[in-house]
Amino acid sequence: MDIRSLDTFLELCTEEYLSCTPQDPPGCFAVLVGSLFGDIAHINRLEFARNVRASDDTAEAEFAANIVPCFGAAYNNKRRGYWCDARDLLRIDRDAQRDGLDIVGSVHLHPDWHRIGPQHERGMRISEQATPMDRHMFANTRWPINMICYLESRETALLPTLAAWAPPPAAPGEGASDTCAPLALRVRDGAGELLEGDSLRLPPIERVR
């Protein structure tokens, strides 16, 4: 992918990060649209869908019945988790097909919550690695590419790190491990240089309120 495809996503991540509080974690999610060629994916663009985690009855029921019991009371917070509006997802899929493309995955934000979150949640080290909740999501969507953008704070800048993960080898309930394999990334930066690796440190974002 070209790093310019991430511009709007990183801008939204920065806005969310700088306006969050320990009680209201930042959230940012986008759908990856592109093409698959064997085991290579070309990501053409990112598309955004509304988060209906706090307003959709199906989402509320899923979090109450399955997410909170499995992954903890923190997910009672309606700022936790992302549930795409089905109408937006349908629109994205139709627009992709019109252009000869497909939905190939997603990307979402991980903040350095172990530094900026509430004291009782600072025990788990957050990074670009997939969390148990992430692995659950990847297993259920079955999208081949699941990117995580980790944003950590420094005195004058925010440092984004990008990683990507395959879904677990089988869908939930099929007896497989929930292990997600890392995917190799190839990102063309603004100068035309190719950045390659399982985990990529992207250019710092100046920290300005």
Side-chain angles (χ1 to χ4, degrees):
M1 68 185 300
D2 190 306
I3 198 170
R4 289 171 294 187
S5 301
L6 288 167
D7 284 350
T8 302
F9 179 79
L10 291 173
E11 288 171 8
L12 292 173
C13 284
T14 302
E15 290 174 10
E16 284 280 313
Y17 187 98
L18 294 179
S19 63
C20 77
T21 69
Q23 292 72 42
D24 295 308
C28 197
F29 179 96
V31 175
L32 306 176
V33 173
S35 301
L36 293 172
F37 302 93
D39 60 355
I40 303 292
H42 291 172
I43 297 168
N44 295 66
R45 63 179 186 255
L46 275 63
E47 298 283 356
F48 296 90
R50 288 168 292 182
N51 184 10
V52 294
R53 153 75 176 94
S55 60
D56 182 273
D57 290 343
T58 302
E60 282 286 85
E62 172 67 14
F63 272 79
N66 296 311
I67 302 303
V68 172
C70 289
F71 302 105
Y75 286 95
N76 279 317
N77 185 335
K78 294 186 179 182
R79 289 277 299 170
R80 300 269 185 160
Y82 212 95
W83 191 282
C84 285
D85 185 292
R87 293 161 296 186
D88 288 350
L89 200 57
L90 179 60
R91 169 186 53 80
I92 292 168
D93 186 52
R94 285 175 171 169
D95 288 348
Q97 289 188 42
R98 182 197 62 211
D99 297 335
L101 303 171
D102 294 296
I103 292 176
V104 296
S106 68
V107 58
H108 72 275
L109 168 66
H110 274 190
D112 52 353
W113 201 236
H114 53 285
R115 296 192 182 106
I116 65 173
Q119 286 293 334
H120 67 278
E121 290 188 36
R122 296 191 180 186
M124 181 179 177
R125 174 71 162 80
I126 305 298
S127 69
E128 67 276 15
Q129 301 291 310
T131 66
M133 178 60 188
D134 291 330
R135 296 194 293 271
H136 174 79
M137 181 185 77
F138 302 163
N140 280 276
T141 64
R142 306 306 302 164
W143 285 335
I145 305 162
N146 304 278
M147 288 188 182
I148 295 171
C149 181
Y150 173 55
L151 206 57
E152 58 182 319
S153 178
R154 292 292 184 266
E155 189 171 330
T156 60
L158 300 176
L159 304 181
T161 302
L162 193 66
W165 304 90
E174 295 180 7
S177 163
D178 69 352
T179 300
C180 296
L183 299 175
L185 288 165
R186 297 184 180 93
V187 177
R188 187 77 60 182
D189 70 12
E193 296 294 323
L194 192 62
L195 309 176
E196 297 184 84
D198 291 344
S199 180
L200 298 180
R201 175 62 60 87
L202 303 179
I205 301 166
E206 187 178 357
R207 185 170 181 152
V208 177
R209 283 191 179 270

